[in-house]
Amino acid sequence: MDQVYETLLVEVDESGICTLTINRPDKLNALNNQVLDELDEAIDAIKENYQVKSLVITGAGEKAFVAGADIKELSALDPVSGEKVSKKGQDIFQKIEDLTIPVIAAVNGYALGGGCELAMACHLRIAFEKAAFGLPEVSLGLIPGYGGTQRLTQLVGRGKALELIMTGRQVKADEAFNIGLVNQVTEHSAVDEAKSMLSKIMKQGPLAIKNAIQAVQGAGSGQGFETEARLFGELCGTTDFKEGTGAFLEKRKPNFSGK
């Protein structure tokens, strides 16, 4: 990708895996207005780039994925600007969740506040064994505002979500795995593990992956079953469906075309 950002690094490899890195290691990759604006722009560009088949989001350095928001900026908020900032973060993170390519958060260190919310907006989360997660906003007299109250509840359940939000305590990678907040813990590079998982996912039918993401997004909406049936039927008319079932019956590996 040609666009150059001040707070982000964006690279696409030969296989189509895009790595987006929040690049403020001296600030523990904290989310300020500039980061959010550039993240918004980068996600739009990734969505329109047909060469990008999957996405890894991570943070620069070994200490932090994203260690929260910029407290100095937060301290200046009033009720009107506060709601506006919350909606801005929610909208950007929803764009990430709504991507129809697989998105993995590679969490290499602290994922706190807005950083934890960013990780939860990704479809999957892989954590380095020394990573830590938390939503400490109550210690600032706030609540999570970038979708954290909603996504944490979906991932770990109402009771555990309320516990973590109301105490503001951090959970280490192993506990995060045990409660369902992360999908995998690794003693190796979280980015490398994320790319390895994406390589496996990208061998599957790309239209099926796209529709699977959309179907799961509809869970709990009241129309989830109808959405699943519609997307299932849609796939039955694709070339990939014919190729996948034909390859199975012919005992060979499928060659998906994305059509």
Side-chain angles (χ1 to χ4, degrees), residues 1 7 11 20 40 49 54 68 93 96 109 124 145 179 198 212:
M1 298 177 67
T7 67
E11 300 175 337
L20 187 159
D40 191 22
N49 190 332
S54 61
F93 287 6
I96 295 171
L124 304 172
I179 64 176
L198 287 172

mmCIF file of all heavy atoms in Angstrom, residues 1 7 11 20 40 49 54 68 93 96 109 124 145 179 198 212:
data_model
loop_
_atom_site.group_PDB
_atom_site.id
_atom_site.type_symbol
_atom_site.label_atom_id
_atom_site.label_comp_id
_atom_site.label_asym_id
_atom_site.label_seq_id
_atom_site.Cartn_x
_atom_site.Cartn_y
_atom_site.Cartn_z
ATOM 1 N N MET A 1 0.844 -1.199 0.000
ATOM 2 C CA MET A 1 0.000 0.000 0.000
ATOM 3 C C MET A 1 0.879 1.248 0.000
ATOM 4 O O MET A 1 1.896 1.307 0.694
ATOM 5 C CB MET A 1 -0.914 -0.009 1.233
ATOM 6 C CG MET A 1 -1.877 -1.197 1.238
ATOM 7 S SD MET A 1 -2.899 -1.300 2.705
ATOM 8 C CE MET A 1 -3.924 0.145 2.506
ATOM 9 N N THR A 7 1.606 7.518 12.380
ATOM 10 C CA THR A 7 1.458 6.702 13.587
ATOM 11 C C THR A 7 1.207 5.223 13.298
ATOM 12 O O THR A 7 1.047 4.440 14.228
ATOM 13 C CB THR A 7 0.301 7.233 14.463
ATOM 14 O OG1 THR A 7 -0.945 7.034 13.779
ATOM 15 C CG2 THR A 7 0.493 8.709 14.781
ATOM 16 N N GLU A 11 1.903 -2.918 5.917
ATOM 17 C CA GLU A 11 2.648 -3.710 4.946
ATOM 18 C C GLU A 11 1.799 -4.879 4.475
ATOM 19 O O GLU A 11 1.054 -5.469 5.266
ATOM 20 C CB GLU A 11 3.948 -4.243 5.562
ATOM 21 C CG GLU A 11 4.900 -3.160 6.057
ATOM 22 C CD GLU A 11 6.120 -3.724 6.756
ATOM 23 O OE1 GLU A 11 6.038 -4.878 7.249
ATOM 24 O OE2 GLU A 11 7.140 -3.023 6.818
ATOM 25 N N LEU A 20 -0.886 -4.341 10.055
ATOM 26 C CA LEU A 20 -1.070 -2.955 10.453
ATOM 27 C C LEU A 20 -0.546 -2.810 11.878
ATOM 28 O O LEU A 20 -1.049 -3.450 12.801
ATOM 29 C CB LEU A 20 -2.546 -2.575 10.371
ATOM 30 C CG LEU A 20 -2.924 -1.101 10.583
ATOM 31 C CD1 LEU A 20 -4.294 -0.805 9.964
ATOM 32 C CD2 LEU A 20 -2.957 -0.716 12.065
ATOM 33 N N ASP A 40 -8.714 4.934 10.902
ATOM 34 C CA ASP A 40 -9.941 5.019 10.111
ATOM 35 C C ASP A 40 -9.614 5.032 8.622
ATOM 36 O O ASP A 40 -10.205 4.291 7.820
ATOM 37 C CB ASP A 40 -10.696 6.290 10.508
ATOM 38 C CG ASP A 40 -12.107 6.343 9.952
ATOM 39 O OD1 ASP A 40 -12.670 5.278 9.620
ATOM 40 O OD2 ASP A 40 -12.650 7.449 9.847
ATOM 41 N N ASN A 49 -8.706 -2.551 -1.081
ATOM 42 C CA ASN A 49 -7.520 -3.122 -1.729
ATOM 43 C C ASN A 49 -7.750 -4.617 -1.972
ATOM 44 O O ASN A 49 -7.726 -5.415 -1.037
ATOM 45 C CB ASN A 49 -6.292 -2.904 -0.854
ATOM 46 C CG ASN A 49 -4.998 -3.255 -1.564
ATOM 47 O OD1 ASN A 49 -4.972 -4.110 -2.455
ATOM 48 N ND2 ASN A 49 -3.910 -2.610 -1.169
ATOM 49 N N SER A 54 -6.218 -10.812 4.162
ATOM 50 C CA SER A 54 -6.410 -10.938 5.601
ATOM 51 C C SER A 54 -5.603 -9.853 6.291
ATOM 52 O O SER A 54 -4.755 -9.201 5.676
ATOM 53 C CB SER A 54 -5.992 -12.330 6.091
ATOM 54 O OG SER A 54 -4.618 -12.559 5.816
ATOM 55 N N GLY A 68 -4.024 1.763 25.979
ATOM 56 C CA GLY A 68 -5.095 2.683 26.299
ATOM 57 C C GLY A 68 -5.165 3.902 25.407
ATOM 58 O O GLY A 68 -4.526 3.987 24.362
ATOM 59 N N PHE A 93 -13.926 1.151 15.188
ATOM 60 C CA PHE A 93 -13.743 -0.244 15.574
ATOM 61 C C PHE A 93 -14.800 -1.135 14.928
ATOM 62 O O PHE A 93 -14.541 -2.302 14.619
ATOM 63 C CB PHE A 93 -13.786 -0.384 17.097
ATOM 64 C CG PHE A 93 -12.545 0.149 17.782
ATOM 65 C CD1 PHE A 93 -11.562 0.810 17.071
ATOM 66 C CD2 PHE A 93 -12.368 -0.004 19.143
ATOM 67 C CE1 PHE A 93 -10.426 1.306 17.696
ATOM 68 C CE2 PHE A 93 -11.235 0.477 19.777
ATOM 69 C CZ PHE A 93 -10.260 1.140 19.060
ATOM 70 N N ILE A 96 -13.656 -2.258 11.593
ATOM 71 C CA ILE A 96 -12.737 -3.393 11.676
ATOM 72 C C ILE A 96 -13.523 -4.692 11.814
ATOM 73 O O ILE A 96 -13.288 -5.667 11.098
ATOM 74 C CB ILE A 96 -11.770 -3.214 12.859
ATOM 75 C CG1 ILE A 96 -10.859 -2.003 12.627
ATOM 76 C CG2 ILE A 96 -10.939 -4.483 13.087
ATOM 77 C CD1 ILE A 96 -10.021 -1.614 13.822
ATOM 78 N N GLY A 109 1.848 -7.334 24.179
ATOM 79 C CA GLY A 109 2.100 -6.759 25.498
ATOM 80 C C GLY A 109 0.798 -6.282 26.108
ATOM 81 O O GLY A 109 -0.223 -6.955 26.024
ATOM 82 N N LEU A 124 -10.365 -12.449 15.762
ATOM 83 C CA LEU A 124 -9.647 -13.390 16.616
ATOM 84 C C LEU A 124 -8.534 -12.648 17.334
ATOM 85 O O LEU A 124 -8.074 -11.598 16.876
ATOM 86 C CB LEU A 124 -9.050 -14.539 15.793
ATOM 87 C CG LEU A 124 -10.003 -15.355 14.923
ATOM 88 C CD1 LEU A 124 -9.213 -16.317 14.038
ATOM 89 C CD2 LEU A 124 -11.002 -16.115 15.782
ATOM 90 N N GLY A 145 -15.557 3.100 26.334
ATOM 91 C CA GLY A 145 -16.408 3.868 25.431
ATOM 92 C C GLY A 145 -16.278 3.538 23.967
ATOM 93 O O GLY A 145 -16.967 4.124 23.133
ATOM 94 N N ILE A 179 -11.011 -17.577 29.968
ATOM 95 C CA ILE A 179 -12.350 -16.980 30.009
ATOM 96 C C ILE A 179 -12.903 -16.687 28.616
ATOM 97 O O ILE A 179 -14.026 -16.196 28.486
ATOM 98 C CB ILE A 179 -12.369 -15.680 30.848
ATOM 99 C CG1 ILE A 179 -11.491 -14.596 30.225
ATOM 100 C CG2 ILE A 179 -11.963 -15.970 32.294
ATOM 101 C CD1 ILE A 179 -11.546 -13.256 30.958
ATOM 102 N N LEU A 198 -3.606 -17.400 9.782
ATOM 103 C CA LEU A 198 -4.221 -16.824 8.593
ATOM 104 C C LEU A 198 -3.860 -17.611 7.340
ATOM 105 O O LEU A 198 -4.683 -17.749 6.432
ATOM 106 C CB LEU A 198 -3.805 -15.361 8.435
ATOM 107 C CG LEU A 198 -4.453 -14.392 9.425
ATOM 108 C CD1 LEU A 198 -3.830 -13.011 9.320
ATOM 109 C CD2 LEU A 198 -5.962 -14.311 9.193
ATOM 110 N N ALA A 212 -19.054 -16.620 6.357
ATOM 111 C CA ALA A 212 -18.993 -17.086 7.744
ATOM 112 C C ALA A 212 -18.866 -15.897 8.695
ATOM 113 O O ALA A 212 -19.537 -15.835 9.742
ATOM 114 C CB ALA A 212 -17.817 -18.040 7.931
#
